[in-house]
Amino acid sequence: MSLLECVDLHVWFDLPHGGRVHAVNGVGFALDPGERFGLVGESGCGKSTTILALMGLLPSSATVSGRVLLNGADILAGGEDSVRRHRWRDIAMVFQGAMNALNPVKTVGWQIAEPMAYHGTARGARARARVGELLELVGIPASAADRYPHEFSGGMRQRLSIAMALACEPKILLADEPTTALDVMVQAQILELLTRLTGELGMALVLVTHDLPVVSQVCDRAAVMYAGEKVEDGPAERLGLAARHPYTRLLFAATPDLYGEERLATIPGSPPRLDAEITGCPFRPRCDVPTDRCADEHPALRPAGPGHQAACFRNEPQEPM
Amino acid sequence: MRSLEYAVRRGIFTVVTVFLAVTLNFFLFRALPGSAVSNLARVPDSSPELQHALTVRFGLDRSEWDQYVLYLKNLLHGDLGVSFTYQRPVSHLLLSDLQNTVLLAGAGTLGAIALGVLSGVVAAWRRSSALDHLNTSLAILTYSFPAQWLGLVLLIVFAGVLPAGGMSDQFLFQSPPFWRHAADVAAHMALPAATLILTAYGGYTLVVRSSMLETLGQDYVLTARAKGLPDRRIVWRHAARNAMLPMVTMVALDLGFVVGGAVLVEVIFSWPGIGMATYTALSQRDYPMVQGCLLILTVSVILLNFLADLLCFRLDRRVTA
């Protein structure tokens, strides 16, 4: 049994003036203990929505269907009260906005200790000692616990967010673009920290990013999302070297290479609107190798190698890409 | 250390402001048309000699500069002069008035704050619900009532049930037991306090609601939800604490104005407070009395602002200078 399994997840958002956006369309994946999993795609493809849905954190304008199984038990089935017990205790999260994820009027120590008391993992002096340990773990002196978030730099705040996420020793850490707002050196440090900590603590990591080199560097496996759907899923190094979906291949080609001389490749066009159901393959208008079937038929995920699947007709045995 | 420096800086600023206000206070009333003497002497057959004698007695024959220097000197000794009308020290007269006003204004403002914060927070949390719409419309409606009009309406409706004026029952003889006296004062205070609460709470509701809506959209509120905290704790400990910051200054300003500014309400309900005293003194050209009233008003606005600055600093450590 997988540690976390997400089965056929759909999310719709109600628009203020009627209509709905199908933001996540049948996404599924499984996560083993200690595994580092990447979720990749461009802005608006539903990757953040997917992980917010895992914790039941979407706003009330969202409708969610599908199952999220933690050790085989559906945590969303019992509504807000049942999912709340799993938050931070089993699944914790590091947010994108390192600047604003911390409450400006509370000391960082208070904020790190807060979930411990609430989930009953530590209180009082023990919680304080644990705050010190966590701060040291992410490379911040324990004495900084009494300071306020605005006294730290962006990179330090992201370290604080990570320390806070580790407070209740979660089994799974969801990281939503944890390095977006940071400069390259700090990005590298934070990624190294995340990799080291998941290894040391045996914690599984879901890393949401649009940065492909980051995925190959950090993750064991990754899924590529496009227009709310998962289009490819496999071992991280295979996605870079032997992608079976044209979107994945083009996405990797569009990554700047430090030593590359050529002009950067781009993917023309823009993702489809999600407020109406799409017929055929959602990537067809931008695809460089469309087939006749793509306009009318929706390609399903098919095996493309060991632990590797892709949703493209060219992925089928008779039509090698 | 930084807090001490901040307090001292604000303190110096406060003292300078008080001095300016005191000076303005003195010259403002000398610019009013009419004179105390012509008013007091409005008796049949008042001779020019009598008028002159009174002018000399009140010190009005001296130059304005001399009057000003004398005023400042006396003020430093806590001497606000002698009321032209009552022939008693202004400081004694105003001290009992101030107590009465603080009682009424305190009850009115605290009630308005409590009601405003509660309804504002609830409206923001249950945003766009029927409760929110009802709450917000009611707040706008009552906030737009002129206090004197609402006071009269309440008088007309409740005059038979609750005492219509004054501060205590004149016929409670022979020093009644404390609780009896307190209940009597509370009954007398009900209508004026209700007027103050109803006309003021809507302003707080609107400010708190919009401030809360902004705060609830912040990343740290999402963090708090992700931590698995219950709604009540998220709303009050994380969101409301931040949303209250603009309230502190608003409350301090209002309190200052209510101390001297509930003139109309005090006059309507014959409440023997500063507002009533201001009204009476103004119509009688009782300079020392008016000066005393205005002094209390301005100094309380300035001091409460000073306190608000200190409180803001205490609540939010990002505040500087």
Side-chain angles (χ1 to χ4, degrees):
Chain A
M1 185 174 23
S2 307
L3 173 61
L4 181 79
E5 203 179 343
C6 164
V7 185
D8 196 28
L9 188 74
H10 289 264
V11 177
W12 294 269
F13 284 106
D14 290 327
L15 296 175
H17 303 290
R20 300 177 116 186
V21 166
H22 199 164
V24 176
N25 189 348
V27 168
F29 60 85
L31 197 63
D32 288 325
E35 188 181 21
R36 289 190 287 269
F37 181 71
L39 206 51
V40 194
E42 62 197 284
S43 300
C45 72
K47 47 194 198 305
S48 295
T49 307
T50 302
I51 63 165
L52 285 176
L54 294 182
M55 288 177 86
L57 286 176
L58 289 171
S60 56
S61 60
T63 314
V64 181
S65 86
R67 287 181 299 157
V68 176
L69 307 174
L70 181 73
N71 291 321
D74 191 343
I75 57 172
L76 295 186
E80 179 73 10
D81 286 330
S82 78
V83 70
R84 185 180 288 146
R85 283 184 290 116
H86 297 288
R87 290 184 189 147
W88 228 251
R89 184 84 185 84
D90 295 313
I91 311 178
M93 196 160 174
V94 175
F95 290 96
Q96 185 170 6
M99 300 298 156
N100 305 319
L102 297 161
N103 191 331
V105 301
K106 305 281 188 188
T107 63
V108 298
W110 187 93
Q111 297 186 55
I112 296 173
E114 186 187 22
M116 299 183 201
Y118 185 72
H119 291 287
T121 56
R123 296 184 174 276
R126 263 192 58 216
R128 266 196 299 284
R130 177 102 181 99
V131 168
E133 281 169 32
L134 288 166
L135 288 174
E136 300 279 357
L137 196 62
V138 298
I140 290 175
S143 59
D146 294 328
R147 291 163 64 183
Y148 290 85
H150 71 275
E151 299 177 67
F152 296 88
S153 68
M156 297 278 265
R157 274 187 242 183
Q158 198 55 286
R159 286 169 188 269
L160 292 169
S161 298
I162 294 172
M164 189 159 75
L166 301 178
C168 299
E169 298 173 30
K171 302 182 190 77
I172 303 158
L173 183 63
L174 308 179
D176 186 2
E177 310 216 18
T179 58
T180 316
L182 307 174
D183 67 54
V184 184
M185 279 305 291
V186 183
Q187 271 189 26
Q189 291 166 6
I190 295 291
L191 290 172
E192 198 209 343
L193 178 69
L194 279 175
T195 314
R196 178 169 65 81
L197 288 176
T198 46
E200 280 174 15
L201 307 173
M203 188 170 55
L205 174 73
V206 177
L207 182 68
V208 171
T209 179
H210 55 250
D211 194 343
L212 290 158
V214 164
V215 173
S216 359
Q217 193 186 324
V218 174
C219 300
D220 311 315
R221 266 191 329 121
V224 178
M225 287 185 68
Y226 185 78
E229 295 178 32
K230 187 173 81 170
V231 294
E232 188 162 6
D233 176 353
E237 72 272 15
R238 268 188 69 91
L239 292 185
L241 300 172
R244 300 302 297 269
H245 193 283
Y247 179 60
T248 315
R249 176 169 47 76
L250 290 168
L251 211 52
F252 270 93
T255 305
D257 179 355
L258 198 56
Y259 305 105
E261 304 264 309
E262 318 113 68
R263 245 179 96 88
L264 197 59
T266 56
I267 309 178
S270 51
R273 294 171 58 112
L274 300 176
D275 51 0
E277 292 299 326
I278 299 160
T279 45
C281 172
F283 190 61
R284 191 195 60 85
R286 305 171 75 184
C287 186
D288 57 347
V289 287
T291 69
D292 299 338
R293 298 169 67 190
C294 299
D296 312 310
E297 263 182 83
H298 188 277
L301 281 165
R302 282 163 216 278
H308 188 179
Q309 48 182 354
C312 178
F313 292 120
R314 290 198 181 268
N315 178 33
E316 289 175 11
Q318 65 272 29
E319 286 182 83
M321 191 168 82
Chain B
M1 207 50 238
R2 213 165 71 79
S3 20
L4 187 70
E5 191 196 322
Y6 180 81
V8 168
R9 266 219 309 276
R10 298 309 305 175
I12 293 171
F13 182 76
T14 303
V15 170
V16 172
T17 320
V18 167
F19 173 74
L20 288 177
V22 162
T23 305
L24 203 65
N25 208 353
F26 176 84
F27 288 106
L28 200 59
F29 294 103
R30 298 301 186 281
L32 274 181
S35 91
V37 173
S38 67
N39 241 10
L40 260 186
R42 203 183 289 141
V43 280
D45 306 324
S46 81
S47 62
E49 288 75 33
L50 175 61
Q51 293 202 6
H52 181 69
L54 285 171
T55 309
V56 172
R57 181 151 162 219
F58 294 152
L60 295 172
D61 58 331
R62 296 201 231 174
S63 76
E64 296 215 328
W65 177 250
D66 284 349
Q67 291 182 38
Y68 174 62
V69 172
L70 192 65
Y71 169 68
L72 284 187
K73 210 174 99 189
N74 289 341
L75 204 56
L76 286 175
H77 291 97
D79 180 1
L80 293 175
V82 175
S83 162
F84 292 167
T85 315
Y86 303 100
Q87 296 300 317
R88 284 172 54 204
V90 169
S91 48
H92 291 191
L93 289 168
L94 286 185
L95 195 66
S96 65
D97 288 346
L98 185 63
Q99 285 169 357
N100 298 342
T101 289
V102 165
L103 187 66
L104 176 62
T109 310
L110 289 181
I113 292 170
L115 196 61
V117 168
L118 196 69
S119 68
V121 167
V122 168
W125 183 247
R126 299 268 169 253
R127 167 191 189 169
S128 299
S129 66
L131 186 65
D132 175 24
H133 292 311
L134 182 72
N135 215 332
T136 311
S137 317
L138 207 62
I140 294 174
L141 185 73
T142 55
Y143 191 46
S144 56
F145 287 161
Q148 65 274 26
W149 176 82
L150 185 67
L152 288 173
V153 169
L154 289 181
L155 256 187
I156 292 167
V157 176
F158 292 105
V161 190
L162 288 163
M167 193 176 161
S168 54
D169 193 338
Q170 304 294 327
F171 300 101
L172 271 180
F173 293 118
Q174 294 164 343
S175 55
F178 174 77
W179 64 267
R180 186 113 184 255
H181 179 65
D184 180 46
V185 170
H188 279 80
M189 204 164 68
L191 288 182
T195 309
L196 288 177
I197 291 174
L198 283 176
T199 50
Y201 97 91
Y204 295 123
T205 302
L206 299 180
V207 168
V208 169
R209 182 179 175 276
S210 70
S211 180
M212 267 303 273
L213 283 181
E214 198 186 316
T215 311
L216 285 173
Q218 295 288 332
D219 290 341
Y220 54 80
V221 172
L222 184 62
T223 307
R225 287 185 61 212
K227 281 178 172 176
L229 306 174
D231 288 351
R232 188 180 290 255
R233 190 177 169 93
I234 297 170
V235 168
W236 292 105
R237 296 298 287 271
H238 285 271
R241 172 69 189 273
N242 280 285
M244 282 319 126
L245 294 175
M247 274 286 287
V248 177
T249 314
M250 189 177 166
V251 167
L253 274 177
D254 279 10
L255 263 180
F257 281 112
V258 170
V259 165
V263 179
L264 293 166
V265 173
E266 287 192 0
V267 170
I268 287 171
F269 293 98
S270 314
W271 187 266
I274 295 282
M276 183 82 168
T278 311
Y279 175 79
T280 320
L282 256 179
S283 49
Q284 290 167 340
R285 298 291 185 276
D286 190 347
Y287 288 160
M289 199 64 180
V290 178
Q291 258 167 225
C293 291
L294 258 286
L295 185 74
I296 286 180
L297 166 64
T298 45
V299 170
S300 53
V301 169
I302 295 166
L303 281 185
L304 287 163
N305 256 304
F306 174 58
L307 286 181
D309 282 342
L310 294 188
L311 192 59
C312 273
F313 183 79
R314 181 83 189 78
L315 290 176
D316 185 354
R317 292 311 175 89
R318 289 170 300 176
V319 171
T320 46

